[in-house]
Amino acid sequence: MRLSKITTRTGDDGTTGLADGSRLSKDSLRIEAIGAVDELNSQIGLLLTEKLPLAVRDCLAAIQHDL
């Protein structure tokens, strides 16, 4: 699994750039949803550092990959 490098180059004008070059307000519902998914993904990653049954670990890893 490969993640793209994420950098900021445009300063802070209250918008966030998307991969297609468009920009959205930082308080848009789409950006809120992206942030919520990112937070969930990080929580699952933290959980995966714990000792878990293999079936649970495999399930969480698959969910994390889908996210």
Side-chain angles (χ1 to χ4, degrees), residues 15-65:
T15 63
T16 296
L18 301 178
D20 66 0
S22 64
R23 300 196 68 79
L24 288 175
S25 171
K26 288 183 180 180
D27 64 358
S28 76
L29 292 177
R30 184 173 178 188
I31 298 303
E32 177 68 28
I34 290 169
V37 169
D38 187 49
E39 287 183 36
L40 175 59
N41 196 10
S42 68
Q43 291 297 316
I44 291 173
L46 182 61
L47 185 58
L48 285 170
T49 66
E50 299 295 325
K51 193 170 190 173
L52 299 168
L54 185 57
V56 173
R57 177 174 295 286
D58 289 345
C59 183
L60 288 173
I63 291 169
Q64 191 177 45
H65 178 72

